[in-house]
Amino acid sequence: MATSLVTQILNDGYRNTTLKIDGYLNAADLSAVTVIDPSTLSQMDAQGTIPNRVRVMRINFDIQDGIQVDLNWDGATPSSLWKLTGRGEIKAKTFGGIIDNATTPTGKITATSIGGSATTSNTSFTVVLELVKYQA
């Protein structure tokens, strides 16, 4: 199987969005692949307002040993959202969520992997993101 990334929207309501990211690596890494673009999500209210940013409230992840997945905020100068290794959960709701702090932000979240190019057999990861949509 070739290196690939599959994103599935599990919930896309007026305020909240939940998505699942499945990555498969085989002798190649991912490089700044867009996993979510807020402008493609459903409207935020009855007036049809389309979001241009998201705030990350929770990250649940299962990363196969030997690889690292970096989630980044896209922009003129991208900014690190979180570096994921192993298995775990980041609960950001308690402090209001993780906001986009890239220079000239686009609102998109991208994924890059490290260690996939060193593998000779399939390695994989799954990440679930719980997001809150908003207009900046």
Side-chain angles (χ1 to χ4, degrees):
M1 175 180 243
T3 295
S4 65
L5 186 82
V6 177
T7 301
Q8 178 185 7
I9 304 277
L10 302 176
N11 173 49
D12 188 12
Y14 274 164
R15 180 177 182 266
N16 302 315
T17 298
T18 304
L19 67 113
K20 182 176 83 158
I21 306 159
D22 289 314
Y24 305 95
L25 309 175
N26 189 357
D29 277 308
L30 299 170
S31 180
V33 178
T34 299
V35 295
I36 188 74
D37 179 350
S39 68
T40 64
L41 298 174
S42 69
Q43 65 191 31
M44 295 171 26
D45 54 33
Q47 288 74 43
T49 306
I50 301 297
N52 63 2
R53 300 280 191 283
V54 291
R55 195 169 55 240
V56 177
M57 304 307 278
R58 185 174 150 277
I59 306 171
N60 192 309
F61 57 95
D62 182 1
I63 314 294
Q64 190 167 333
D65 294 339
I67 60 174
Q68 174 179 312
V69 177
D70 295 345
L71 296 179
N72 296 295
W73 296 109
D74 186 46
T77 304
S79 177
S80 178
L81 191 163
W82 213 275
K83 297 181 183 311
L84 307 172
T85 58
R87 291 120 196 98
E89 181 178 34
I90 311 301
K91 296 178 183 177
K93 187 175 184 175
T94 57
F95 55 87
I98 305 166
I99 59 168
D100 188 343
N101 62 350
T103 305
T104 317
T106 66
K108 298 176 185 175
I109 297 175
T110 63
T112 299
S113 63
I114 299 170
S117 60
T119 63
T120 56
S121 62
N122 289 337
T123 54
S124 62
F125 64 88
T126 298
V127 178
V128 175
L129 296 175
E130 291 182 7
L131 311 168
V132 170
K133 302 183 269 189
Y134 69 99
Q135 272 278 339

